[in-house]
Amino acid sequence: MAEHRVRVTQDSGSRWRRRAGEYETLGEALAAAEHGDTLTLRPGTFRENLLLDKAVTLVAADGPGTVRLLPAAGVPLTVTAAAAVRGLVVEADDSTAPAVLVTGEDGAAELTNCRVEARSAVGVEVADGAGATLRGCTVANPSGLGVRLRGEARALLEDCEVAQAGQAGLAVLGGSTARLERSRIHHAGGAGLLLADQGSTAELTGCEIYEVRGSGVQAESRAAGRLADCEIHRVTGNGLTLDTEAELALTGCRLHDLPENAADLRGRSRLSLHHSTVHSFGRGALSVWDAGTHAVATASEIHSATGDYPALWVSDGARVELSDCTLRDLPDALFVLDRGSTARAEDCSFSRIRNSAVSVSGGATVDLTACRIQQAGTGLWFRDHNSGGRLTDCEIAEVATGIIVTKGADPVVRGCAVRASSDAAVYVSAQGLGTFEECRASHGKGFGFHVIDGCRTTLTRCRAEHNARAGFEFSEPGPVAEACVSDDVAPAPADLPAPRTATGALLAPAAALVRATAGPAPLVAPAGAIAPIPDCRPADEALAELDALVGLATVKQEVRTLVDLIAVGRRRERAGLKAPSPRRHLVFTGAPGTGKTTVARLYGEVLASLGVLRRGHLVEVARVDLVGEHIGSTAIRTQAAFEQARGGVLFIDEAYALAPEDGGRDFGREAIDTLVKLMEDHRDDVVVIVAGYTVEMERFLAANPGLSSRFSRTVTFPDYSAGELLEIARAQCAEHEYAMDEATEDALLDHFAGIDRGPGFGNGRTARQVFETMVERHAMRVAQLADPSTEELQLLVPADLPR
């Protein structure tokens, strides 16, 4: 037995103890040892049932795997104190007992680089308030559980492996707490991780669960778990199974290769996914059942289903919330069924959906905001009575049908756009309802808005354009359209009498004809309901583009003030009140490249959308376009330019050139005189904007006594700061698919700060020229690389800046 000797090392500082020594058996050594001692085990097999009831340390003398603990029956290793075990192999073959048992409030085992090879009820059990730390350990138990925590126990597993468990790999029960870091659970006969009972919690970081004959994680009975940077795959059951008020939160996790559901939730359980990915699942990504059950996903991706089921299934009163998520390559994306079931999605993308991206039935509701649906069979299908919800600012493109409303469903759709549908953009039938406000249907191969069966659908300020069959199709009376426009409706002849209501009230001047799908004659929509599309886009779009311009804060405020004044004036007119008549002509002063032409164009669009101008187009001219070579030709040229701008904006750049300091007999004065008269005679037809340097424009306005009085105000365009020039360069990069790192941006900011701002400085044009130079220098540099990466083809570096 000498080869089994155990050396006890006296680690305590007590002077009253006997000296350290060697012992034939573990039992003898432990009887002699005291708290704090180390027991060093020589290689071999110890057939003893070991009880560690003292705070001692057991170490395999020749390293991990050289010492085996294998008794005939019972528990090979029991720990009831703060003991440490390093490098031992624990073997057991008793189906009624655990291989390692840590128990009692004083039990606090620390197992390092140990291996448990058992055919027992449990590989490692931590019970009755005890705690255990396992580092670099392996637990294999084909006959039972891998690791079990019960009775408010605690365990930490670092860099561990639980393999070949006959039942669950790790079971956390009875209010216990487990924390796993960089550990693997695989080839289990039950759930990889089983969580049950109120107060039971598990926290996994950087872990992997795979090859499990059951669910990857099964949580029930109010247990809770948090997983970060974990991977669950290749399990025969669900990736996650939650029931009875259990809660799981996953961050940065990956669930894939799952034949059933990636997550199945029932019984008022809750699941949250954040920055996680779910793909290659056979049934659903999220199947959410029962009232009170709730799933939340943010910044996550769901894709590549292998079965024919909806990716998200919400039924029986359950709730799902999605934010900034991507769903793609699916048979169906989101199905919401049954009264009380709801789904909310904000800023989400649905693409490459074979059937329906969103289906709502059985009285369920959805709330979608700023979502994008592309390449789907049906964008959204509201199927039956009491099914509905809200769609706000959503985009639907390249679908068979954009939105279907049938059998009494009644959604509210606001600010949404359907583009390039192969059938109708919006289709309502079989007593479907629906309210559509400020929606757009465009570039479809079928109808824009197709309402049949006399459905009482309401359409307000909707727009249809470039649809192959018709913009609006009403087969019989029922739908109500108000202030809608379509590009296939011609204006009514001017000599038609204005239509009136039954009481004689005057209606809008044009009645729109809408094609009928049945009957010998087309139906007539309500007077003024569908009108021709105006030439300009809505004011909000033009003002949004103005707001998106870099810098120019004072300019934007000036323009908005004018627009507000005009808009309120027109409202006062409609209310029968006197309205101010502000002069709309403007003077723009500032250096070149500060955005004067762009702002002039947007100003014209806004005035047209408000009905102040007929078209709102921009005609840009300079001295050479207005001044002729001989007497009389200047007036003709100026009048021709003014006529071209009728209904829009005449923008005269460098207008001061019409009034040179040494003008003498210069014909520019004739252009100014002609312009003043035309502005007076046609003040409601054209807005004139003159632009140029500040000092020179003062001289221009003084060239004719009536000139300055024609302009309502002067708008000053300041030079761009170095930071604003950098922002313009960033925008150029994004537009042309280039990128700059922080060092390049810092160098570019310094370049703009030190640039000469003399007469040749072009503001925004300078920023664009610098960007173009950087692109050229980048091309020269990258051309020398044999096989440049995508990043190298995009990234601009400080060396690319102009010298």
Side-chain angles (χ1 to χ4, degrees):
M1 297 291 291
E3 69 274 20
H4 296 164
R5 284 182 180 170
V6 182
R7 172 176 291 276
V8 178
T9 304
Q10 180 179 341
D11 294 330
S12 171
S14 172
R15 295 182 300 169
W16 306 106
R17 290 195 41 220
R18 84 286 166 278
R19 305 183 66 82
E22 292 187 356
Y23 301 86
E24 294 296 325
T25 67
L26 283 168
E28 293 174 352
L30 283 169
E34 295 187 7
H35 295 292
D37 285 350
T38 297
L39 282 67
T40 305
L41 284 64
R42 292 181 180 177
T45 300
F46 290 84
R47 300 187 180 279
E48 303 178 46
N49 297 93
L50 186 61
L51 172 62
L52 298 182
D53 55 359
K54 301 175 184 178
V56 296
T57 300
L58 270 65
V59 179
D62 289 358
T66 60
V67 176
R68 308 178 76 85
L69 188 62
L70 178 56
V75 181
L77 176 61
T78 302
V79 182
T80 60
V85 180
R86 300 173 186 167
L88 267 65
V89 177
V90 180
E91 299 185 38
D93 197 11
D94 187 339
S95 61
T96 64
V100 176
L101 173 62
V102 185
T103 185
E105 294 183 358
D106 296 328
E110 181 179 317
L111 278 63
T112 304
N113 296 329
C114 292
R115 192 165 72 245
V116 178
E117 298 177 355
R119 291 188 175 276
S120 304
V122 185
V124 176
E125 180 162 86
V126 188
D128 302 325
T133 299
L134 282 68
R135 293 188 174 92
C137 295
T138 299
V139 179
N141 183 28
S143 297
L145 295 164
V147 177
R148 178 170 66 186
L149 280 62
R150 60 179 178 83
E152 300 182 358
R154 308 171 311 281
L156 166 64
L157 281 70
E158 293 181 349
D159 302 298
C160 291
E161 185 171 7
V162 181
Q164 298 178 343
Q167 299 175 30
L170 169 63
V172 183
L173 314 172
S176 298
T177 300
R179 184 157 61 93
L180 281 72
E181 298 181 4
R182 303 174 304 280
S183 296
R184 297 189 300 161
I185 302 174
H186 60 94
H187 292 89
L193 168 63
L194 172 62
L195 285 164
D197 306 325
Q198 186 169 2
S200 297
T201 63
E203 182 176 339
L204 282 69
T205 304
C207 296
E208 184 179 10
I209 300 174
Y210 63 99
E211 294 294 350
V212 170
R213 293 188 299 276
S215 297
V217 177
Q218 180 175 332
E220 56 193 39
S221 303
R222 299 186 179 180
R226 295 193 301 272
L227 286 74
D229 189 27
C230 293
E231 185 171 10
I232 301 173
H233 59 110
R234 304 202 311 271
V235 304
T236 63
N238 301 314
L240 309 171
T241 298
L242 292 80
D243 202 348
T244 326
E245 301 184 50
E247 295 188 16
L248 288 178
L250 278 68
T251 302
C253 293
R254 301 162 301 284
L255 286 75
H256 60 93
D257 294 297
L258 308 166
E260 296 294 324
N261 299 297
D264 185 277
L265 288 73
R266 301 169 189 262
R268 303 180 66 84
S269 58
R270 297 171 60 90
L271 169 69
S272 68
L273 299 175
H274 184 62
H275 283 289
S276 295
T277 302
V278 180
H279 69 88
S280 303
F281 45 90
R283 284 187 174 269
L286 301 178
S287 292
V288 189
W289 312 74
D290 305 335
T293 306
H294 184 197
V296 178
T298 59
S300 295
E301 185 173 4
I302 298 171
H303 68 90
S304 305
T306 59
D308 295 321
Y309 301 89
L312 275 68
W313 179 276
V314 187
S315 66
D316 300 299
R319 182 161 52 108
V320 164
E321 296 182 33
L322 308 173
S323 175
D324 190 25
C325 290
T326 299
L327 295 90
R328 59 179 175 83
D329 297 305
L330 305 167
D332 293 281
L334 171 61
F335 268 41
V336 191
L337 309 90
D338 306 323
R339 183 182 298 274
S341 299
T342 63
R344 295 184 59 188
E346 182 174 359
D347 195 23
C348 292
S349 172
F350 301 76
S351 63
R352 300 196 293 273
I353 312 298
R354 294 195 295 274
N355 300 310
S356 297
V358 179
S359 174
V360 188
S361 62
T365 60
V366 296
D367 186 348
L368 274 62
T369 303
C371 291
R372 301 163 301 284
I373 299 174
Q374 187 173 14
Q375 298 177 350
T378 300
L380 298 103
W381 191 340
F382 298 90
R383 293 177 177 266
D384 49 27
H385 189 67
N386 288 328
S387 302
R390 295 179 299 177
L391 274 67
T392 308
D393 298 331
C394 294
E395 298 178 5
I396 306 168
E398 301 175 57
V399 296
T401 306
I403 301 173
I404 299 177
V405 183
T406 58
K407 299 181 182 178
D410 192 12
V412 176
V413 185
R414 293 190 176 99
C416 296
V418 182
R419 178 175 54 82
S421 59
S422 58
D423 203 336
V426 174
Y427 179 71
V428 187
S429 68
Q431 288 74 54
L433 298 170
T435 299
F436 295 83
E437 299 178 0
E438 298 181 348
C439 294
R440 178 179 297 185
S442 66
H443 300 88
K445 295 181 180 179
F447 296 110
F449 297 87
H450 190 187
V451 185
I452 67 172
D453 301 330
C455 294
R456 297 190 302 278
T457 302
T458 301
L459 302 102
T460 305
R461 296 184 299 280
C462 292
R463 179 186 182 102
E465 55 188 323
H466 303 298
N467 293 290
R469 300 189 67 181
F472 293 81
E473 175 84 355
F474 303 159
S475 65
E476 52 190 90
V480 176
E482 179 182 352
C484 296
V485 295
S486 177
D487 60 356
D488 60 354
V489 176
D495 56 353
L496 284 181
R500 297 178 180 272
T501 66
T503 60
L506 198 64
L507 289 173
L513 295 181
V514 183
R515 286 190 240 174
T517 57
L523 295 170
V524 179
I530 302 173
I533 292 178
D535 291 337
C536 60
R537 58 180 169 169
D540 289 346
E541 292 186 18
L543 289 172
E545 184 176 337
L546 175 67
D547 290 337
L549 296 177
V550 175
L552 305 179
T554 57
V555 174
K556 296 171 184 176
Q557 184 58 48
E558 288 278 4
V559 172
R560 280 196 171 272
T561 299
L562 284 169
V563 169
D564 290 344
L565 185 61
I566 292 168
V568 172
R570 295 187 68 79
R571 290 180 181 178
R572 286 175 60 87
E573 286 179 344
R574 289 196 293 269
L577 302 172
K578 289 185 177 181
S581 301
R583 294 183 297 275
R584 302 182 299 260
H585 310 303
L586 303 173
V587 179
F588 286 178
T589 64
T594 50
K596 295 187 291 293
T597 305
T598 300
V599 173
R601 174 180 58 80
L602 295 173
Y603 182 56
E605 287 192 56
V606 173
L607 294 184
S609 67
L610 294 175
V612 176
L613 294 175
R614 286 185 293 106
R615 295 179 58 194
H617 65 294
L618 180 75
V619 175
E620 183 177 2
V621 297
R623 174 187 166 90
V624 68
D625 302 301
L626 302 179
V627 177
E629 296 81 8
H630 52 81
I631 296 175
S633 63
T634 295
I636 294 174
R637 286 192 178 190
T638 303
Q639 188 161 0
F642 198 92
E643 192 64 31
Q644 186 182 1
R646 289 280 288 268
V649 175
L650 179 64
F651 181 78
I652 306 174
D653 198 13
E654 297 182 351
Y656 53 82
L658 297 175
E661 291 183 280
D662 54 350
R665 294 176 55 83
D666 185 83
F667 292 139
R669 303 279 178 170
E670 183 181 355
I672 294 174
D673 295 343
T674 304
L675 187 64
V676 170
K677 185 176 187 307
L678 289 171
M679 290 170 67
E680 179 61 29
D681 293 345
H682 304 282
R683 57 179 176 269
D684 294 330
D685 288 344
V686 177
V687 167
V688 177
I689 299 177
V690 292
Y693 290 108
T694 303
V695 175
E696 287 81 350
M697 289 305 295
E698 293 175 356
R699 185 183 71 244
F700 165 75
L701 293 174
N704 182 293
L707 186 59
S708 60
S709 64
R710 298 291 187 271
F711 294 94
S712 64
R713 65 180 66 200
T714 297
V715 180
T716 301
F717 287 68
D719 285 343
Y720 287 115
S721 67
E724 290 169 338
L725 293 174
L726 175 60
E727 193 172 342
I728 293 173
R730 283 199 193 106
Q732 290 286 302
C733 280
E735 180 181 351
H736 295 89
E737 296 186 344
Y738 284 87
M740 294 187 292
D741 58 18
E742 186 174 349
T744 306
E745 292 193 354
D746 290 343
L748 188 55
L749 183 63
D750 292 340
H751 176 82
F752 286 140
I755 204 167
D756 180 17
R757 295 189 175 238
F761 177 60
N763 280 288
R765 281 194 285 270
T766 296
R768 288 186 286 273
Q769 289 167 356
V770 168
F771 169 74
E772 290 167 0
T773 301
M774 293 178 70
V775 169
E776 293 171 1
R777 291 174 62 82
H778 167 270
M780 294 171 60
R781 175 173 55 81
V782 174
Q784 308 304 314
L785 303 177
D787 186 19
S789 65
T790 301
E791 182 180 4
E792 288 171 328
L793 290 169
Q794 291 181 295
L795 186 63
L796 301 175
V797 301
D800 297 328
L801 264 68
R803 295 174 181 172

